[in-house]
């Protein structure tokens, strides 16, 4: 193991979180031990940036936020935007043309709001996050999307599309990728995320390490899913959760415990023993 780690990049869902809204006490303890040892902590997630702020509060330390799948990078301690990249109206209209045809469940995300064509069921107890809660706006009329893109398109940085019909999703991927202007990754078995070309968690980490003047070899990352592959490419020491997809495990330097067995804590404990 490389013993000069200066930054740990942590995925949230399926990695750092024990469920949809909570971090285990054991993970909190060891993340803080790493921080108190002089290692910087970044939360790198497909979730909205506002949730990074919430989990920074839960951890009790000033983290670096790499939210919205790498498209929004923020220095919490200094209240500074490090990097951002938003779609704009023209890109969104191109994407929506395809998702509208097949009636997909679709979410358009800013750093704190999701515009959706259906009620979200994945997130619970948002009100408990208070000022860090995610806002949700359900768009009932297809005609209303033009106004959403016109008024908020310059703040939307990620599109999430889901369907239980994998063939429909794969067909959408082919159509969108043919445009040559977008990145697409599976974030779950029935869900894809669409970003502008060149974007992703890896791009967010590139911008963060330039900002912090940290070498790639001095970064440790921990993840579990397909959208963590680009993150792995930009880290020197790669840790996969035991519950991770095989494609990620194959690229890992170390495989830790499952997310519900405090795998993040176990990996950090292993790091600190060699630090």
């Amino acid at each position: 193991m490389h013993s000069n780690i200066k930054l740990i990049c942590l995925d949230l869902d399926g990695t750092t979180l024990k469920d949809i809204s909570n971090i285990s006490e054991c993970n909190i303890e060891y993340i803080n031990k790493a921080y108190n040892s002089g290692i910087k902590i970044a939360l790198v997630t497909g979730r909205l940036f506002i949730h990074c702020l919430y989990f920074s509060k839960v951890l009790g330390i000033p983290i670096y936020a790499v939210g919205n799948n790498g498209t929004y990078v923020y220095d919490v301690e200094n209240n500074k935007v490090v990097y951002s990249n938003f779609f704009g109206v023209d890109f969104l209209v191109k994407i929506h043309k395809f998702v509208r045809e097949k009636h997909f469940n679709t979410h358009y995300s800013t750093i704190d709001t999701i515009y959706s064509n259906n009620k979200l069921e994945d997130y619970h107890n948002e009100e408990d996050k208070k000022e860090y809660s995610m806002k949700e706006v359900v768009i009932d009329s297809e005609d209303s999307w033009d106004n959403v893109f016109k008024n908020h398109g310059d703040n939307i940085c990620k599109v999430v599309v889901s369907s239980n019909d994998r063939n429909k999703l794969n067909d959408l991927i082919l159509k969108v990728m043919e445009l040559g202007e977008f990145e697409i990754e599976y974030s779950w078995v029935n869900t894809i995320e669409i970003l502008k070309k060149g974007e992703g968690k890896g791009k967010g980490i590139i911008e963060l390490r330039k900002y912090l003047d940290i070498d790639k070899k001095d970064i440790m990352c921990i993840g579990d899913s397909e959208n963590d592959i680009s993150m792995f490419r930009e880290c020197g020491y790669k840790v996969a959760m035991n519950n991770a997809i095989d494609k990620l495990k194959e690229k890992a330097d170390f495989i830790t415990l499952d997310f519900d067995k405090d795998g993040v804590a176990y990996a950090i404990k292993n790091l600190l023993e060699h630090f």
Side-chain angles (χ1 to χ4, degrees), residues 30-275:
Y30 274 92
I31 291 169
N32 272 267
K33 282 185 177 182
Y35 176 78
N36 291 329
S37 297
I39 300 173
K40 301 179 188 301
I41 304 295
L43 299 183
V44 185
T45 179
R47 288 195 184 210
L48 276 60
F49 158 72
I50 194 73
H51 280 177
C52 294
L53 293 184
Y54 173 73
F55 289 114
S56 177
K57 179 183 176 183
V58 170
L59 291 169
I61 57 175
I63 55 92
Y64 295 91
V66 183
N68 294 71
N69 234 15
T71 58
Y72 195 83
V73 183
Y74 193 83
D75 177 345
V76 171
E77 185 172 27
N78 294 301
N79 296 314
K80 181 178 180 180
V81 178
V82 174
Y83 173 78
S84 64
N85 196 345
F86 302 105
F87 272 114
V89 178
D90 292 343
F91 284 108
L92 294 169
V93 169
K94 290 178 182 179
I95 295 170
H96 196 70
K97 174 181 181 292
F98 293 123
V99 300
R100 179 177 57 198
E101 289 174 357
K102 298 292 185 179
H103 308 289
F104 288 100
N105 292 328
T106 310
H107 309 150
Y108 295 84
S109 303
T110 72
I111 63 172
D112 62 5
T113 304
I114 287 181
Y115 297 91
S116 174
N117 63 358
N118 65 302
K119 182 72 176 173
L120 294 177
E121 297 179 354
D122 293 341
Y123 296 100
H124 309 289
N125 304 321
E126 273 298 305
E127 66 277 3
D128 293 343
K129 297 183 177 71
K130 298 180 180 178
E131 68 267 35
Y132 305 114
S133 63
M134 175 187 71
K135 304 177 187 69
E136 179 188 0
V137 180
V138 177
I139 306 300
D140 295 320
S141 167
E142 189 59 45
D143 294 337
S144 300
W145 281 110
D146 288 340
N147 287 329
V148 170
F149 298 150
K150 179 180 178 181
N151 296 326
H152 306 287
D154 289 338
N155 296 315
I156 291 172
C157 45
K158 187 180 77 164
V159 182
V160 178
V161 182
S162 62
S163 172
N164 290 324
D165 187 335
R166 189 73 177 252
N167 290 329
K168 276 177 58 175
L169 274 179
N170 288 335
D171 183 56
L172 175 67
I173 290 171
L174 290 174
K175 288 181 177 178
V176 174
M177 291 301 288
E178 282 176 358
L179 297 173
E181 299 173 305
F182 303 100
E183 302 284 352
I184 301 181
E185 298 173 321
Y186 270 95
S187 57
W188 194 242
V189 292
N190 66 341
T191 304
I192 60 171
E193 300 187 352
I194 304 174
L195 308 168
K196 286 174 71 174
K197 189 73 174 177
E199 295 301 314
K201 289 185 177 183
K203 172 63 172 174
I205 291 174
I206 288 172
E207 297 299 329
L208 179 59
R209 65 179 169 84
K210 285 194 297 187
Y211 173 71
L212 295 174
D213 193 24
I214 292 177
D215 196 279
K216 174 179 174 177
K217 66 180 175 58
D218 297 328
I219 302 174
M220 170 179 169
C221 60
I222 311 179
D224 73 302
S225 63
E226 185 171 324
N227 65 359
D228 294 317
I229 292 174
S230 68
M231 176 171 74
F232 268 35
R233 287 197 290 265
E234 302 306 327
C235 295
Y237 188 69
K238 300 171 282 294
V239 178
M241 305 299 291
N242 192 51
N243 53 274
I245 61 171
D246 289 340
K247 192 185 298 186
L248 200 70
K249 287 181 176 180
E250 291 166 3
K251 301 177 184 301
D253 300 302
F254 180 73
I255 297 175
T256 188
L257 304 177
D258 290 270
F259 77 96
D260 56 357
K261 292 182 172 60
D262 301 321
V264 164
Y266 183 76
I268 293 175
K269 179 176 183 290
N270 189 53
L271 167 70
L272 294 178
E273 287 174 350
H274 298 84
F275 194 64

